[in-house]
């Protein structure tokens, strides 16, 4: 019997490797023997692998947006058109678009989003109707922790609505109706007497003014003149209220055309743009499509759990957006596959929060 190893096996298993590039990064995780240091732990993600590496890359990409935002505008660019059609928001070196789905406002991620908006760290927001109304509703009543497994039939009998493992008593929406109806009356009156052309972004700013609550995302968006776009504003409880109001006091008109021009202008006349999009659907496409108007964003971070096998825009990787001209060919976009209620607060802790503290100190 031949005692030598078959050559076909050795050739298959013991393939000689090419030398790795001199700048190749070595995989290495955090060593807890060095103590518990959350900043260093987060920094280690870059070399950990899998989605930890993608989160590390996302942190780098957002910090690039912020560093460019901080740089002074050159003299030749100072005469560029103001991005806000209302003339209230100054141009910066990097206009940052933040998009998120409504469930994140329902969750405790709302406080992370509010922090970013409160400190004036983004320039344009896109969200869904639920992403608007849930912020105001939380100023009027609480949302509670529940369980994904709570039976819907029993909850319906109790008048409790389930959002994943969150619980929103239906009384919350009744309080929302009581609060918003007089405001809708005012909008109709001002439309008719002052010839105001209401748009979704103008309505949201007005609601942010009226809520007058520093816990609200849109209170701070109003205070900092950050435009908030929601082209499907009627697709939620706020739409229910507009529907009821149309019987009580008909005539309110909300113009989408003025808003799409204002939205696209945020990208068209920007010096550089960055996209940070949590979730998919409308918010992802609306921001990406605005950046198509300038032949692509310079920086991009997508955070969602969707995959591309079904051809959905939600699941599309950044490379697909490059093919459409929504992200520049020279950009280094990042997609993190994961759930934003975990990832976004961590990202804020390593990007927006230290940036805000640093700029506060320097000022």
């Amino acid at each position: 019997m031949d005692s030598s190893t078959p050559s076909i096996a050795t050739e298959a298993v013991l393939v000689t490797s090419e030398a790795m590039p001199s700048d190749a990064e070595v995989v290495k995780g955090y060593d807890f023997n060095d103590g518990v240091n959350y900043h260093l732990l987060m920094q280690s993600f870059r070399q950990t692998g899998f989605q930890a590496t993608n989160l590390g890359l996302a942190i780098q990409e957002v910090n690039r947006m912020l560093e460019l935002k901080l740089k002074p505008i050159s003299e030749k660019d100072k005469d560029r058109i103001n991005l806000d059609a209302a003339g209230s928001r100054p141009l910066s070196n990097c206009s940052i678009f933040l998009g998120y789905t409504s469930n994140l406002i329902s969750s405790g991620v709302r406080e992370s989003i509010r922090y970013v908006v409160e400190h004036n760290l983004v320039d344009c927001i896109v969200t869904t109707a639920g992403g608007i109304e849930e912020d105001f509703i939380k100023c009027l009543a609480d949302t509670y922790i529940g369980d994904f497994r709570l039976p819907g039939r029993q909850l319906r009998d109790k008048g409790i609505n389930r959002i994943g493992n969150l619980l929103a008593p239906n009384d919350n929406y009744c309080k929302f109706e009581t609060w918003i109806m007089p405001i809708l009356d005012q909008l109709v009156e001002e439309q008719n007497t002052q010839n105001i052309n209401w748009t979704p972004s103008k309505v949201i700013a007005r609601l942010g003014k009226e809520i007058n609550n520093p816990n609200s995302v849109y209170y701070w968006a109003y205070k900092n003149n950050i435009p908030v776009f929601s082209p499907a504003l009627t697709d939620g409880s706020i739409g229910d209220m507009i529907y009821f109001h149309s019987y009580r006091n008909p005539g309110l008109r909300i113009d989408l055309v003025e808003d799409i021009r204002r939205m696209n202008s945020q990208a068209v006349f920007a010096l550089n743009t960055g996209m940070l999009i949590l979730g998919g659907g409308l918010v992802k496409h609306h921001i990406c499509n605005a950046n198509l108007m300038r032949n692509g964003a310079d920086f991009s971070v997508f955070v969602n759990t969707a995959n591309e096998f079904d051809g959905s825009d939600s699941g599309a990787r950044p490379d697909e957006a490059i093919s459409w001209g929504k992200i520049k060919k020279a950009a280094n976009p990042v997609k993190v596959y994961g759930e934003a209620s975990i990832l976004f607060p961590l990202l804020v802790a390593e990007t927006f929060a230290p940036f805000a503290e640093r700029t506060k100190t320097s000022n």
Side-chain angles (χ1 to χ4, degrees):
M1 183 177 180
D2 189 353
S3 60
S4 61
T5 305
S7 61
I8 189 172
T10 57
E11 290 168 5
V13 174
L14 305 176
V15 175
T16 302
S17 301
E18 290 186 2
M20 293 295 291
S22 59
D23 60 349
E25 293 185 82
V26 175
V27 173
K28 185 179 181 182
Y30 184 74
D31 187 348
F32 283 97
N33 285 314
D34 296 331
V36 179
N37 184 313
Y38 290 105
H39 174 60
L40 294 179
L41 173 63
M42 292 293 295
Q43 285 189 322
S44 76
F45 282 4
R46 178 74 176 73
Q47 293 178 274
T48 296
F50 309 133
Q51 294 310 304
T53 291
N54 285 352
L55 178 57
L57 291 170
I59 289 167
Q60 284 187 358
E61 186 80 343
V62 172
N63 279 327
R64 289 189 189 109
M65 299 181 203
L66 292 169
E67 290 301 326
L68 184 56
K69 188 176 188 63
L70 198 59
K71 289 185 178 179
I73 299 172
S74 67
E75 288 298 322
K76 70 181 179 64
D77 289 323
K78 284 185 177 178
D79 293 331
R80 292 282 288 265
I81 189 169
N82 190 294
L83 295 186
D84 190 344
S88 56
R89 187 162 184 83
L91 187 67
S92 78
N93 232 326
C94 185
S95 299
I96 300 178
F97 292 75
L98 174 63
Y100 47 85
T101 47
S102 66
N103 55 323
L104 299 180
I105 293 293
S106 300
S107 76
V109 176
R110 173 195 184 224
E111 278 61 43
S112 296
I113 293 170
R114 191 222 65 235
Y115 174 88
V116 169
V117 178
E118 175 184 352
H119 291 276
N120 205 14
L121 299 174
V122 296
D123 300 276
C124 177
I125 295 171
V126 177
T127 190
T128 56
I132 302 299
E133 67 212 18
E134 290 292 321
D135 177 69
F136 297 125
I137 290 168
K138 279 186 164 185
C139 294
L140 305 172
D142 292 324
T143 300
Y144 299 91
I145 296 293
D147 192 292
F148 284 103
R149 297 163 296 182
L150 291 173
R153 291 179 180 84
Q154 292 180 21
L155 291 174
R156 181 60 179 166
D157 290 341
K158 295 177 179 180
I160 297 173
N161 306 297
R162 183 169 66 83
I163 309 165
N165 62 348
L166 311 179
L167 298 176
N170 208 61
D171 284 349
N172 293 12
Y173 298 90
C174 300
K175 292 175 182 177
F176 181 56
E177 180 187 23
T178 301
W179 176 75
I180 199 172
M181 283 298 179
I183 300 172
L184 295 178
D185 286 337
Q186 292 172 30
L187 300 188
V188 173
E189 181 180 354
E190 291 168 25
Q191 172 189 282
N192 295 336
T193 61
Q194 301 176 34
N195 202 30
I196 293 178
N197 187 50
W198 292 108
T199 66
S201 65
K202 290 178 186 176
V203 171
I204 295 162
R206 178 59 172 272
L207 296 176
K209 177 183 179 181
E210 296 288 344
I211 198 67
N212 194 28
N213 186 324
N215 292 321
S216 165
V217 173
Y218 306 111
Y219 166 81
W220 288 108
Y222 163 73
K223 294 278 283 186
N224 290 327
N225 296 314
I226 300 171
V228 181
F229 297 96
S230 187
L233 186 64
T234 56
D235 186 31
S237 180
I238 196 166
D240 299 342
M241 301 308 145
I242 291 170
Y243 167 72
F244 295 146
H245 187 266
S246 73
Y247 286 93
R248 168 180 156 176
N249 185 6
L252 179 63
R253 297 185 299 275
I254 300 178
D255 183 0
L256 293 179
V257 177
E258 183 180 323
D259 250 13
I260 191 61
R261 179 163 174 165
R262 187 183 180 202
M263 170 66 189
N264 287 353
S265 292
Q266 308 300 306
V268 169
F269 299 109
L271 297 175
N272 300 278
T273 62
M275 305 190 296
L276 173 53
I277 305 174
L278 312 175
L282 179 146
V283 301
K284 182 169 181 266
H285 187 266
H286 204 55
I287 291 174
C288 287
N289 202 67
N291 278 272
L292 165 62
M293 300 296 158
R294 67 185 309 275
N295 202 29
D298 301 275
F299 309 96
S300 301
V301 171
F302 299 163
V303 179
N304 63 58
T305 57
N307 286 289
E308 66 178 348
F309 68 88
D310 58 0
S312 66
D313 184 73
S314 295
R317 292 180 296 112
D319 187 65
E320 183 175 308
I322 292 173
S323 78
W324 286 89
K326 297 171 181 176
I327 297 175
K328 289 191 182 302
K329 290 189 290 184
N332 295 293
V334 182
K335 175 170 179 175
V336 188
Y337 289 85
E339 208 267 286
S341 70
I342 299 170
L343 296 175
F344 187 63
L346 296 177
L347 190 147
V348 170
E350 289 296 300
T351 56
F352 293 107
F355 181 85
E357 288 301 311
R358 179 157 56 90
T359 53
K360 187 192 304 181
T361 302
S362 63
N363 291 337

